[in-house]
């Protein structure tokens, strides 16, 4: 399988100037690869470094050392650790989406528009984007009376559906998805799982963080287990 | 293997700023070296000259929104005021791809050319609407002023454009002939935004545009700015001391302290993984 991402010797720690220069280690010598259309399940206890690793790939966190070679469809091979900010902005707009556990949206923008915007950003006509957004949130079971409402007022599960929809609507080349099914009922969980599997069919590579065994079993081609910021050997996982 | 960590040549910058400096008073040869965040001061100990900003370097790309944050007196407004020619710079270079293909330092062109650039190619929204609007003109008249300065003299088309812009920024068109002094603060800001985008500039500067507005009005103005950016693909530099505004509007952020950039990066990185001690303090104070 052709690797889309090669993570090599990545280290990350947080140097807290405001806490008497305390250093908090997060990741130590992390090495792995993600193939084209592969789904990696990232597991480990809370605080083991799963979200930190995902955020380093998205460049929300700056890795201290190492490299992350990403094979872009538009720009060739890029090291996500050292690439310019302008390059990262392009990659995020065109190829890589990140679905965090928490929804952060502009107040006063409707649910349909929040989701459609992610598609419109890639040059799709707004009306067509809104139609697709409506279909997607309908499939995710969001009641129609909420489509024009503002997601900041939604419940946790409703917000999560918007978050997932926003991350997948554009068929990204690479999807980073953090606990996508945590606050969903079983039926909606399965819809999310089906949607991610459909994306994989189209060639999307996925890194998934989940504590839910059912989600992991149905989705992950391979599991990477983190403990104390290090990848554990499969036999120990 | 060859790795491309920067954009290919066809993705050119819109604005390139190098060494932008503004000093008040008489500097000596060491003024810049003796001031800045490491001294926690922007006053020269030798001459008492004030370094409002120095060594400001950045590139802005088409369609990007850059935030400038920092406390009062850190130099954020000074940077955009120089870029909009409201303030004369003490040094540095500014290149703009829409003027002379980006080959000429804007700080060295004639005042006539600066006026041309300002009127045709740039827009500015100030914190205080009185700085951006003429309160003795009608709101339509304020927009007309910007259009006329860019060489549009046809009354019918000016009125039509003004009405389109007011509608776009959610100001009732029926109020077009009323003076902005009769408007609420939020409406005044929306008229200012209409005026700033009247000539479809590729770049817009926004200096603390929501400061002083109440929270619901602030949300409406932010929403309007986001929509405009989204629909027009306009590049923006947004100055704010409010990290929530920066988070909502910008792709990248520069943090200023004592007139210098102490840290710059992707906005989510600045907010979630700040590197500099001052940025860590700033972010940890976020409610």
């Amino acid at each position: 399988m052709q690797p889309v991402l090669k993570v090599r010797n990545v280290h990350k720690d947080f140097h807290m100037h405001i806490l008497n220069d305390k250093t908090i280690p997060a990741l130590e010598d992390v090495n792995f690869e993600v193939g084209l259309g592969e789904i990696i399940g990232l597991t480990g206890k809370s605080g083991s470094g799963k979200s930190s690793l995902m955020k380093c790939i998205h460049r929300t966190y700056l890795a201290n050392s190492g490299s992350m070679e990403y094979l872009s469809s538009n720009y060739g091979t890029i090291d996500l650790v050292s690439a310019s900010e302008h390059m990262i902005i392009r990659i995020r707009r065109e190829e890589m989406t990140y679905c965090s556990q928490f929804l952060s949206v502009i107040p006063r923008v409707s649910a349909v528009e929040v989701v459609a915007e992610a598609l419109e950003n890639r040059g799709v006509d707004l009306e067509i984007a809104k139609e697709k957004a409506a279909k997607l949130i309908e499939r995710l079971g969001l009641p129609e009376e909420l489509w024009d409402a503002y997601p900041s007022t939604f419940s946790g599960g409703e917000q999560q559906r918007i978050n997932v929809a926003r991350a997948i609507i554009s068929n990204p080349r690479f999807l980073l998805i953090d606990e996508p099914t945590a606050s969903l009922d079983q039926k909606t969980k399965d819809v999310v799982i089906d949607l991610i599997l459909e994306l994989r069919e189209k060639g999307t590579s996925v890194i998934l963080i989940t504590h839910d065994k059912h989600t992991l079993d149905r989705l992950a081609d391979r599991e990477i287990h983190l403990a104390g910021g290090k990848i554990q050997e499969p036999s120990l996982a | 293997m060859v790795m491309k960590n920067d954009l290919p040549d066809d993705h050119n910058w819109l604005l390139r700023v190098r060494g932008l400096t503004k000093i008040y008073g008489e500097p000596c040869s060491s003024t810049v070296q003796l001031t800045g965040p490491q001294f926690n001061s922007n006053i020269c100990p030798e001459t008492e000259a004030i370094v409002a900003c120095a060594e400001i370097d950045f590139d802005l790309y088409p369609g990007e929104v850059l935030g400038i944050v920092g406390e009062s007196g850190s130099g954020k407004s000074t940077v955009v005021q120089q870029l909009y020619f409201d303030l004369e710079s003490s040094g540095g270079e500014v290149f703009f791809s829409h003027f002379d293909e980006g080959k000429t330092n804007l700080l060295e062109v004639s005042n006539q050319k600066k006026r041309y650039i300002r009127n045709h190619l740039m827009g500015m929204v100030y914190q205080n609407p009185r700085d951006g609007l003429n309160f003795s003109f009608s709101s339509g008249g304020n927009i007309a002023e910007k259009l006329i300065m860019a060489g549009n003299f046809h009354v019918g088309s000016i009125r039509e454009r003004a009405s389109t812009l007011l509608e776009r920024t959610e100001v009732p068109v029926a109020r077009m002939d009323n003076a902005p002094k009769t408007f609420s603060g939020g409406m005044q800001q929306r008229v200012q935004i209409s005026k700033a985008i009247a000539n479809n500039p590729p770049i817009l500067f926004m200096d603390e545009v929501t400061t002083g507005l109440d929270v619901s009005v602030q949300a409406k103005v932010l929403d309007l700015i986001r929509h405009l950016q989204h629909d027009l693909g306009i590049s923006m530099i947004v100055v704010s001391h409010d990290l929530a505004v920066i988070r909502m509007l910008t792709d990248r952020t520069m943090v200023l302290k004592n007139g210098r950039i102490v840290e710059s990066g992707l906005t989510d990185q600045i907010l979630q993984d700040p590197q500099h001690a001052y940025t860590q303090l700033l972010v940890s104070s976020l409610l």
Side-chain angles (χ1 to χ4, degrees), chain A residues 136-141 161 164 168 181 184-198 214 218:
Chain A
L136 187 55
I137 55 178
E138 184 179 21
R139 200 170 155 197
L140 282 162
R161 285 177 245 195
V164 170
I168 66 172
T181 57
L184 301 177
D185 57 67
Q186 193 56 48
K187 192 177 154 206
T188 316
K189 247 181 213 181
D190 283 323
V191 174
V192 170
I193 291 167
D194 289 343
L195 285 166
I196 295 174
L197 288 172
E198 284 166 28
H214 173 73
R218 277 205 60 201

Side-chain angles (χ1 to χ4, degrees), chain A residues 99-113:
Chain A
C99 177
S100 75
Q101 290 165 268
F102 310 102
L103 181 74
S104 163
V105 288
I106 320 289
R108 245 181 45 113
V109 180
S110 73
V112 167
E113 277 179 65

Side-chain angles (χ1 to χ4, degrees), chain B:
Chain B
M1 182 178 44
V2 181
M3 285 215 266
K4 294 175 217 151
N5 282 342
D6 215 335
L7 290 170
D9 291 341
D10 58 335
H11 292 83
N12 278 331
W13 45 263
L14 176 78
L15 192 74
R16 170 158 278 185
V17 176
R18 292 290 179 268
L20 189 68
T21 301
K22 176 68 186 173
I23 300 175
Y24 292 99
E26 286 301 318
C28 63
S29 57
S30 317
T31 294
V32 171
Q33 286 76 31
L34 294 174
T35 54
Q38 68 273 40
F39 300 97
N40 200 22
S41 168
N42 53 0
I43 301 171
C44 175
E46 307 283 333
T47 67
E48 297 191 338
I50 298 166
V51 182
C53 73
E55 301 168 319
I56 304 293
D57 294 348
F58 66 90
D59 291 337
L60 180 71
Y61 279 71
E64 275 184 12
V65 184
L66 173 71
I68 307 182
V69 285
E71 60 202 3
S72 299
S74 59
K76 358 182 245 306
S77 294
T78 305
V79 171
V80 289
Q81 283 169 7
Q82 289 174 87
L83 298 175
Y84 194 61
F85 310 119
D86 276 344
L87 270 181
E88 203 172 316
S89 299
S90 310
E93 295 175 314
V94 176
F95 303 99
F96 185 28
S97 65
H98 285 249
F99 182 77
D100 192 25
E101 295 172 340
K103 290 178 194 149
T104 305
N105 179 5
L106 299 192
L107 302 181
E108 288 173 355
V109 303
S110 67
N111 284 340
Q112 189 191 0
K113 283 188 175 151
K114 282 180 183 166
R115 272 196 298 276
Y116 170 86
I117 295 165
R118 215 174 118 115
N119 292 332
H120 288 75
L121 303 172
M122 291 176 172
M124 168 71 115
V125 184
Y126 297 91
Q127 176 179 355
N128 187 343
R130 283 181 187 275
D131 293 333
L133 297 174
N134 187 327
F135 270 37
S136 56
F137 290 178
S138 66
S139 56
N142 269 287
I143 297 169
E145 188 190 13
K146 185 90 179 172
L147 292 166
I148 290 166
M149 295 236 236
N152 300 301
F153 299 110
H154 185 267
V155 177
S157 65
I158 287 176
R159 246 190 116 69
E160 199 184 313
R161 175 81 179 137
S163 118
T164 308
L165 286 162
L166 290 173
E167 209 176 336
R168 183 75 193 74
T169 52
E170 299 172 31
V171 177
V173 177
R175 305 283 308 266
M176 184 153 87
D177 296 321
N178 296 144
K181 66 180 170 200
T182 65
F183 291 0
S184 69
M187 242 161 96
Q188 287 172 350
Q189 281 314 49
R190 294 203 288 271
V191 175
Q192 253 209 106
I193 293 170
S194 293
K195 182 178 178 178
I197 62 169
N199 296 317
N200 287 323
I203 188 164
L204 194 58
F205 304 112
M206 303 222 164
D207 192 358
E208 300 276 12
V209 288
T210 56
T211 307
L213 299 177
D214 75 58
V215 184
S216 66
V217 178
Q218 187 175 4
K220 284 180 191 168
V221 173
L222 288 175
D223 185 27
L224 169 67
I225 295 169
R226 276 279 305 185
H227 269 105
L228 286 175
Q229 201 281 326
H230 201 251
D231 298 349
L232 308 176
I234 196 167
S235 301
M236 294 184 185
I237 299 185
V238 177
V239 170
S240 182
H241 69 276
D242 184 344
L243 290 175
V245 169
I246 293 291
R247 178 172 54 197
M248 217 170 277
L249 292 179
T250 69
D251 301 303
R252 289 191 301 130
T253 297
M254 299 195 310
V255 183
L256 259 61
K257 186 174 190 316
N258 301 117
R260 310 299 152 88
I261 299 172
V262 292
E263 183 170 357
S264 68
L266 296 161
T267 299
D268 55 332
Q269 179 258 303
I270 293 286
L271 294 176
Q272 294 189 44
D273 187 18
Q275 306 291 305
H276 191 276
Y278 175 68
T279 319
Q280 290 185 358
L281 189 68
L282 203 65
V283 170
S284 67
S285 319
L286 186 60
L287 292 175

